[in-house]
Amino acid sequence: MASKVILVTGASGLVGNAVKKVALEERDAGDKWVFVSSKDANLESEAETMALFEKHKPTHVIHLAAMVGGLFRNLAFNLDFFRCNMKINDNVLHACFVHGVKKCVSCLSTCAFPDKITYPINELNLHDGPPHDSNFGFAYAKRMLDVMNRGYNSQHNCTFTSVIPTNVFGPHDNFNLQDGHALPGLVHKGYLAKKENKPFVIWGTGSPRRQFIYSLDLARVIIWVLREYDDVSPMIASVGEEDEVSIKEAAEMVVRAHGFKGKIVYDTSKSDGQFKKTASNAKLRKYLPDFKFTPTEKAIQETVDWFIKNYETARK
Ligand code: NAP
Ligand code: GDP
């Protein structure tokens, strides 16, 4: 019998595919991994969620499933982000409790942190003030995951915890121009600009700053948390503060990766969103001082290469 049955929700997405790749490479012979998407169960439905847990009887859960989107999808659908993610998270954590799951690791996001805060942000700041207006629905739903983790622990002694990633990117991202995040949007726009010999358009001023984490690095952190970290309090998963870059700098890396030589323009009619959300990875570094993040430029090159190779089937 497998020593652990590890259920991964949201396995068809950006982070889920990375967890799958790392898990298969690092596979502990005793573990059984089960990777599910919305095709296996709509986690907004309590009945479907319970049936999924009944079927697979997980001992451990990596909970990644969520309604996800970049700045512009968040601006348009704040209410949907709140309702959908509240339902999914309540159903998944309750199913974990009912089925006696030993450890559940969920994903929050650094956009759940307060907007007006002193930098760098750390894990203790999560509930210190309102999030940025642009994504308040998503942010409050993510904060409630932390509230539920604490509640299941204090009332039922469960070990449900969370990782707080900064902006993630990599293969299998959502490259849709309207709905996706900045990095995949820039990769897609760079591809089209080169192919159609048109200007490469960066939305906003390019001055906002972000810490980008490669999905495969995040996957390694999540799997480490699942195996080794037994505390309920969240753990920021981020590159260092010194590795924060502007959207302009990230776009320039995308341009280099595509070998695009044309004109670059800024569409300042588009929102800049939150200026920055610089997070400290001191807690992660305390546990994993030697963890090596993939250099951003290299990770962007790999993502661009993946997108070009998989253009026909990529989400876009
Ligand atoms: P993603 O690529 O959009 O994938 C989302 C996953 O959730 C997909 O597998 C999707 O399944 C599944 N899902 C969505 N609604 C569902 C439902 N009602 N029932 C069952 N499954 C459902 O997202 P991601 O970027 O990998 O994000 C994974 C986690 O990381 C999320 O919790 C997200 O908030 C967090 N995170 C992401 C970022 C980022 O920059 N991307 C940053 C910080 C935190 P289908 O494919 O079947 O639709
Ligand atoms: P956020 O980090 O949660 O704010 O979300 P995003 O990943 O969507 O990043 C938004 C920032 O990138 C804003 O400053 C946007 O103006 C800028 N940006 C530049 N080009 C794009 C693009 O093609 N798509 C997206 N989503 N944002 C872009």
Side-chain angles (χ1 to χ4, degrees):
M1 228 179 69
S3 58
K4 289 192 182 84
V5 178
I6 307 167
L7 177 74
V8 183
T9 71
S12 54
L14 165 66
V15 184
N17 268 288
V19 166
K20 195 185 289 179
K21 186 161 191 278
V22 174
L24 296 179
E25 282 165 8
E26 292 185 351
R27 187 189 288 266
D28 183 324
D31 294 344
K32 178 183 175 193
W33 289 82
V34 181
F35 299 99
V36 296
S37 73
S38 68
K39 291 197 180 72
D40 300 278
N42 174 9
L43 299 174
E44 282 191 66
S45 153
E46 186 179 1
E48 288 190 35
T49 307
M50 282 297 179
L52 181 80
F53 276 68
E54 189 53 47
K55 180 174 172 192
H56 296 293
K57 300 194 168 34
T59 60
H60 294 70
V61 171
I62 295 178
H63 171 41
L64 306 173
M67 178 177 176
V68 176
L71 168 64
F72 299 93
R73 191 177 186 207
N74 272 278
L75 280 167
F77 298 109
N78 263 296
L79 176 65
D80 293 356
F81 271 99
F82 182 75
R83 296 191 65 218
C84 174
N85 287 316
M86 286 298 294
K87 282 186 216 165
I88 291 178
N89 296 337
D90 187 41
N91 289 336
V92 169
L93 290 200
H94 192 62
C96 286
F97 164 61
V98 170
H99 287 268
V101 165
K102 293 200 182 83
K103 172 104 65 94
C104 174
V105 183
S106 300
C107 254
L108 270 67
S109 165
T110 46
C111 61
F113 280 114
D115 183 33
K116 305 263 181 298
I117 195 84
T118 48
Y119 298 103
I121 300 169
N122 70 57
E123 289 82 355
L124 299 173
N125 297 135
L126 187 60
H127 304 280
D128 281 354
H132 193 262
D133 266 354
S134 58
N135 58 22
F136 67 91
F138 181 75
Y140 277 116
K142 287 292 184 190
R143 286 185 188 189
M144 292 308 112
L145 259 173
D146 177 60
V147 172
M148 285 192 276
N149 285 344
R150 281 160 53 192
Y152 277 110
N153 182 259
S154 70
Q155 219 174 308
H156 301 297
N157 211 22
C158 299
T159 309
F160 299 166
T161 188
S162 62
V163 167
I164 313 185
T166 47
N167 290 52
V168 191
F169 71 98
H172 302 278
D173 206 338
N174 180 3
F175 294 88
N176 184 283
L177 296 179
Q178 299 308 320
D179 292 348
H181 288 99
L183 215 291
L186 292 166
V187 168
H188 191 173
K189 286 193 288 191
Y191 175 88
L192 295 176
K194 187 176 177 192
K195 192 165 116 185
E196 296 166 6
N197 204 14
K198 287 190 174 149
F200 176 45
V201 185
I202 300 167
W203 290 347
T205 61
S207 58
R209 302 184 68 76
R210 298 288 183 267
Q211 286 155 301
F212 291 101
I213 182 168
Y214 194 31
S215 56
L216 293 158
D217 294 344
L218 174 59
R220 290 192 288 136
V221 171
I222 290 173
I223 292 174
W224 173 80
V225 167
L226 183 84
R227 297 200 189 287
E228 309 290 346
Y229 178 74
D230 290 327
D231 205 289
V232 169
S233 62
M235 171 87 69
I236 289 173
S238 174
V239 298
E241 293 146 59
E242 66 284 3
D243 292 319
E244 185 177 61
V245 294
S246 66
I247 294 292
K248 176 177 186 283
E249 288 164 328
E252 285 166 354
M253 290 188 222
V254 170
V255 162
R256 284 196 288 278
H258 276 298
F260 176 71
K261 306 277 182 232
K263 202 173 160 201
I264 299 173
V265 295
Y266 291 86
D267 179 354
T268 52
S269 69
K270 297 272 194 186
S271 168
D272 263 351
Q274 194 162 6
F275 178 64
K276 66 176 189 174
K277 35 193 173 175
T278 319
S280 162
N281 67 3
K283 183 172 176 179
L284 181 73
R285 281 279 175 228
K286 199 172 95 198
Y287 287 93
L288 296 175
D290 299 324
F291 188 91
K292 297 244 177 325
F293 290 95
T294 311
T296 308
E297 186 117 27
K298 178 173 186 282
I300 288 180
Q301 184 70 61
E302 287 179 14
T303 305
V304 165
D305 293 345
W306 183 91
F307 181 68
I308 293 170
K309 192 162 167 234
N310 296 278
Y311 182 72
E312 291 309 322
T313 50
R315 255 190 307 166
K316 57 185 187 299

